[in-house]
Amino acid sequence: MNPDHLYLHSKSGTKLQVLFINRNAKYTMIFSHGNAEDIYLVQSWLQSYFLKHVNVNAVVYEYTGFGEANGNIPKEQSLYDDIETVYLYLTEIINIPADQIILFGRSIGSGPSCFLAEKYHVAGVMLHAPLMSALRVVFSNLRWTLWFDKFPNIDRIKNFDCPVYIVHGQRDEIVHISHGHRLWENTVNKGFEPYFVELAGHNNIEKYAKDYLQRVRKFIEHIDEWVEEKNRIQTTESLDNDRPSIMQMDDQIDLRVPLYQPPEIEKANNNQE
């Protein structure tokens, strides 16, 4: 389960470090890590814990300004450019279908994940200890998003229709549990219940959520059903659009020419002759 080490040219012009663990699974997860992590910590977490029980391909990217990435101070737009670069690589270069890509955003990683889910089609989004927006981490009662706020997930989550799974610790001391509740309230697709974990803080959810991985697997099963139903509906609509309408059929038939002559009239004509 050794990852491929890739360096992509980000939209912002920087060199983007990416780890790709390809297990030939149906779904590929893009992991956007928390502020206190880097891709090697996430790689260790994936290989020792997550991927032992969840069958997905995993893609982890390093934010510009973190780890071995170029740059000094990470900027909001740089994180958006980074995840978009990864997504376009997966969908346009190695041809992974958009409906086989799942986003995983932890803490600040919920920002680029929500940005991408609003802009592009994905199969689903899992948000682990997410934030409503950067300012609301300090001022949680803000009623509107101010123009200079960053990572306005609370507004973006309204604009994507894919399944969403929110996991949040009830004793989170960094990003208050109200962030998870408010994001869930604004979620459009409420087909999968959130998980608000008792006793858990910001960085130890897995410790208290003994069924953490089981719920992730159930979420992927839910995504599978949603994608299948969505594709079925799209196929049905496409077939309906391909059928000729009555007006189109009228254009192809000359209604002035009778399709047949009634038998009684034919008999009357024969008698006249």
Side-chain angles (χ1 to χ4, degrees):
M1 200 163 56
N2 293 325
D4 293 328
H5 290 254
L6 308 172
Y7 286 92
L8 306 178
H9 293 286
S10 176
K11 285 186 62 179
S12 59
T14 60
K15 184 175 67 173
L16 181 63
Q17 186 185 17
V18 179
L19 300 181
F20 184 19
I21 303 175
N22 186 358
R23 309 172 74 201
N24 296 316
K26 178 176 181 179
Y27 289 102
T28 297
M29 283 187 115
I30 302 176
F31 289 83
S32 300
H33 63 71
N35 190 52
E37 300 175 301
D38 61 23
I39 58 173
Y40 296 112
L41 285 174
V42 179
Q43 178 188 353
S44 176
W45 177 79
L46 286 170
Q47 294 179 327
S48 64
Y49 175 70
F50 192 90
L51 294 180
K52 284 187 174 182
H53 302 278
V54 180
N55 185 30
V56 293
N57 308 314
V59 179
V60 191
Y61 65 102
E62 190 59 277
Y63 303 146
T64 297
F66 278 67
E68 294 184 14
N70 291 331
N72 297 314
I73 301 175
K75 298 180 180 179
E76 180 187 16
Q77 186 59 49
S78 295
L79 269 61
Y80 298 158
D81 291 341
D82 291 345
I83 193 171
E84 188 172 3
T85 299
V86 173
Y87 177 86
L88 293 177
Y89 169 78
L90 294 177
T91 56
E92 296 185 1
I93 304 301
I94 62 175
N95 298 318
I96 295 178
D99 62 5
Q100 292 181 11
I101 292 178
I102 302 171
L103 307 181
F104 180 107
R106 183 194 295 265
S107 190
I108 195 174
S110 60
S113 297
C114 286
F115 162 81
L116 193 78
E118 181 185 43
K119 186 171 182 178
Y120 294 97
H121 293 295
V122 293
V125 180
M126 179 175 173
L127 301 176
H128 178 118
L131 48 109
M132 290 187 280
S133 69
L135 269 182
R136 287 180 174 90
V137 174
V138 182
F139 307 105
S140 60
N141 294 324
L142 282 177
R143 296 178 61 186
W144 297 281
T145 300
L146 301 177
W147 66 268
F148 53 86
D149 201 354
K150 301 180 186 301
F151 308 117
N153 302 331
I154 189 69
D155 302 316
R156 287 183 167 139
I157 203 168
K158 303 174 185 177
N159 298 324
F160 43 92
D161 63 351
C162 66
V164 176
Y165 176 34
I166 295 173
V167 183
H168 213 116
Q170 292 191 16
R171 294 188 178 181
D172 194 323
E173 71 287 358
I174 297 176
V175 180
H176 193 265
I177 183 64
S178 59
H179 287 248
H181 286 292
R182 288 281 305 281
L183 286 167
W184 172 246
E185 289 173 6
N186 280 10
T187 297
V188 175
N189 188 330
K190 286 184 164 63
F192 197 84
E193 289 294 318
Y195 189 14
F196 300 121
V197 185
E198 293 184 7
L199 303 180
H202 190 71
N203 296 313
N204 60 359
I205 288 178
E206 296 93 321
K207 175 182 177 181
Y208 291 97
K210 302 303 182 183
D211 54 349
Y212 183 91
L213 296 175
Q214 179 183 354
R215 289 181 184 240
V216 173
R217 290 196 300 269
K218 288 183 177 179
F219 179 55
I220 294 174
E221 291 174 3
H222 174 73
I223 288 174
D224 221 14
E225 295 171 357
W226 180 78
V227 169
E228 184 177 338
E229 177 64 13
K230 181 180 179 182
N231 290 338
R232 186 192 65 79
I233 293 173
Q234 290 176 343
T235 300
T236 301
E237 291 176 348
S238 178
L239 290 174
D240 289 342
N241 292 335
D242 289 341
R243 293 192 183 101
S245 65
I246 296 297
M247 293 300 295
Q248 290 173 327
M249 293 176 66
D250 288 349
D251 292 340
Q252 299 171 8
I253 301 174
D254 189 349
L255 298 179
R256 296 170 300 176
V257 179
L259 298 180
Y260 73 102
Q261 192 173 19
E264 59 272 21
I265 295 178
E266 290 179 356
K267 184 177 181 180
N269 290 343
N270 291 334
N271 291 337
Q272 290 177 0
E273 292 176 354

